[in-house]
Amino acid sequence: MSQDIEEVKRIFIERFGSEPLVIRAPGRINIIGEHTDYNDGFVLPAAIDLAVYLFIQKSDTDRSKLMALNLDESYSFCTQDALVPVKQDWVNFFLGVIDQFQIAGHNIEGFNLMFTSDIPIGSGLSSSAALECGFGQALSELFDLQVDKVELAKMGQAAEHKFAGVKCGIMDQFASCMGRQDHVVKLDCRSLEYEFYPADFKDYELVLFDSNVKHNLADSQYNIRRSQCEEGVKVIQFINSSVASLRDATLDDLARAQSEMEEVVYRRCKYVIEENIRVQAVCKALQCGNIEEVGNLLLETHKGLRDDYEVSCKELDTLIEIASARDGHIGGRMMGGGFGGCTINLIEKRKVNDVITEVTKRYHEILGIETKVYRVAIANGVGRYN
Ligand code: GLA
């Protein structure tokens, strides 16, 4: 990517006549802790070496221009106008972030911006969170606002709620803002306390297989899951009034509330409560260097997401099935919101190439779809690109 950066800088200077500030904002993976963030629970994500790059400079007028180089689209507006969601999806991430800055009392003057990205869109690697966080950091630096990174993550999340209509949790934005090279971050999504763990998988490597599909029910089903969890909490509260969210509930609370609950709501809650337990177990296993145990827990998560939370799909299940059957694959699961995107897998280093070859071949044979493979490295969170 670094060569392209110089090229884009040149294009920027040619177009706008001044040297841009360059910000890099990474995508993310998540080891475990899926659909737990909006239930005040625990997650274990990391920022990766695929990123969005934003080039920005003041325009010295009240007009702003956004240019999406990958899409060959642009959008002009006045930051002083009332901001409302527009038709071009990608523009909404920017408008949503400006809206958050304005709510926080910052005056955003005109600017010119270009961006490019090597995060594949729709792969569940959070390209949208990267855009929000990268743009937040860009505004903060350009106008010397010194917004801290946890605050930026919260603004990105709020922007997504208000301008993209997805009631997401904080995980993606937090990972993109706060990630640390070679570490995974265990985040308590209620208190936002966090702790880094070395991403040391010993003899194993993390490999992502991209299903290359994105079913368009993803956003609507996401919001439905969220409200089913809230519904479950309301029922559990009759049994245990100290439960404010599923993070507080135990399997015992749930068992006692089961008869008062719709069966589907019960399964959603069961998955989330079990998943929070698994995050703690993975952290322990990582500390002990027991990577085989991490692998087992990932497979458990996949089953939960497939059968109880029902956010998987045929393509993701196929990828996991084929990979698990191979020697050297010790665990994997669908990653992110679901209904497409990637699986995350732990594969013995000396067998990685064999497993990749076989999974790629079989996936195409069975479904007629090409998979893409990402062997990502764990990188730092958002910041200035030098
Ligand atoms: C999406 C959301 C996150 C999180 C995951 C599922 O990536 O943006 O907040 O809820 O799904 O874990």
Side-chain angles (χ1 to χ4, degrees):
M1 196 73 197
S2 58
Q3 269 175 334
D4 292 356
I5 304 291
E6 288 312 312
E7 172 70 4
V8 178
K9 253 190 183 172
R10 206 185 46 73
I11 300 173
F12 190 100
I13 296 169
E14 223 174 78
R15 175 77 172 72
F16 298 116
S18 57
E19 173 110 2
L21 167 74
V22 186
I23 301 289
R24 169 193 168 277
R28 65 100 188 91
I29 53 171
N30 184 25
I31 308 298
I32 199 156
E34 217 65 89
H35 290 277
T36 45
D37 59 354
Y38 54 82
N39 286 300
D40 281 349
F42 299 94
V43 291
L44 195 65
I48 55 175
D49 55 348
L50 298 172
V52 171
Y53 297 84
L54 303 106
F55 305 73
I56 191 168
Q57 200 43 266
K58 293 180 187 171
S59 68
D60 297 323
T61 69
D62 59 356
R63 305 277 316 160
S64 292
K65 189 171 182 83
L66 304 169
M67 296 176 72
L69 300 180
N70 296 23
L71 304 172
D72 200 18
E73 283 181 28
S74 63
Y75 185 80
S76 294
F77 65 109
C78 172
T79 45
Q80 315 300 327
D81 289 350
L83 300 175
V84 288
V86 296
K87 273 201 192 121
Q88 281 157 289
D89 287 342
W90 65 271
V91 173
N92 287 325
F93 301 119
F94 291 93
L95 300 184
V97 170
I98 296 177
D99 177 56
Q100 287 303 311
F101 272 73
Q102 287 172 343
I103 291 172
H106 300 298
N107 178 37
I108 303 298
E109 296 156 32
F111 61 86
N112 293 310
L113 178 143
M114 289 182 179
F115 74 96
T116 179
S117 169
D118 55 17
I119 309 175
I121 291 172
S123 291
L125 299 176
S126 296
S127 54
S128 55
L131 260 191
E132 292 149 6
C133 297
F135 183 48
Q137 180 73 17
L139 290 181
S140 175
E141 291 205 25
L142 186 67
F143 297 112
D144 196 21
L145 305 173
Q146 294 172 30
V147 181
D148 89 22
K149 289 189 182 166
V150 173
E151 220 36 59
L152 282 182
K154 290 192 206 161
M155 288 169 142
Q157 180 194 21
E160 184 111 9
H161 285 202
K162 211 168 148 186
F163 277 68
V166 182
K167 302 277 176 223
C168 64
I170 189 80
M171 170 170 73
D172 306 345
Q173 290 80 4
F174 194 93
S176 184
C177 284
M178 300 295 290
R180 180 186 289 181
Q181 187 168 3
D182 298 329
H183 289 75
V184 295
V185 55
K186 179 187 177 199
L187 173 67
D188 177 333
C189 298
R190 171 176 278 161
S191 65
L192 297 190
E193 278 167 20
Y194 58 95
E195 197 182 340
F196 289 103
Y197 288 70
D200 178 4
F201 299 100
K202 311 277 177 205
D203 296 333
Y204 301 93
E205 184 183 321
L206 282 177
V207 179
L208 309 180
F209 290 115
D210 189 341
S211 65
N212 236 332
V213 296
K214 177 84 189 161
H215 297 294
N216 52 19
L217 38 61
D219 290 354
S220 58
Q221 287 298 321
Y222 186 92
N223 290 345
I224 292 174
R225 293 300 175 281
R226 189 171 177 142
S227 52
Q228 287 170 328
C229 292
E230 285 159 9
E231 211 178 306
V233 169
K234 281 194 200 130
V235 181
I236 297 171
Q237 281 170 341
F238 284 111
I239 308 289
N240 180 350
S241 60
S242 71
V243 171
S245 65
L246 283 181
R247 183 278 185 53
D248 306 309
T250 62
L251 288 170
D252 186 52
D253 291 329
L254 181 65
R256 290 197 292 143
Q258 183 175 2
S259 60
E260 301 303 317
M261 224 178 245
E262 265 182 64
E263 192 265 345
V264 60
V265 171
Y266 168 78
R267 280 189 288 118
R268 306 296 191 245
C269 296
K270 173 171 163 287
Y271 162 77
V272 172
I273 298 171
E274 289 173 346
E275 181 72 348
N276 273 319
I277 299 171
R278 279 191 289 265
V279 178
Q280 309 287 5
V282 164
C283 290
K284 233 188 219 153
L286 274 180
Q287 271 173 328
C288 305
N290 188 351
I291 310 304
E292 291 78 6
E293 177 62 8
V294 176
N296 289 333
L297 290 159
L298 296 192
L299 287 170
E300 286 304 309
T301 293
H302 187 76
K303 280 186 210 146
L305 289 167
R306 183 190 64 198
D307 303 335
D308 290 333
Y309 218 65
E310 293 178 292
V311 290
S312 189
C313 59
K314 176 176 78 208
E315 294 84 357
L316 291 167
D317 293 342
T318 305
L319 280 175
I320 290 298
E321 245 166 65
I322 314 169
S324 328
R326 304 307 304 172
D327 191 28
H329 182 274
I330 59 161
R333 62 178 193 81
M334 56 145 280
M335 187 179 75
F339 303 104
C342 290
T343 62
I344 180 167
N345 303 269
L346 275 169
I347 305 173
E348 212 179 321
K349 282 180 184 157
R350 53 195 186 92
K351 304 218 169 108
V352 165
N353 289 330
D354 293 349
V355 177
I356 289 178
T357 309
E358 192 59 23
V359 170
T360 309
K361 185 170 141 251
R362 292 285 297 137
Y363 188 65
H364 188 255
E365 275 169 10
I366 298 173
L367 294 172
I369 309 171
E370 305 285 342
T371 178
K372 282 191 229 115
V373 182
Y374 309 118
R375 298 172 78 165
V376 290
I378 296 185
N380 281 325
V382 70
R384 201 183 273 231
Y385 179 85
N386 292 313

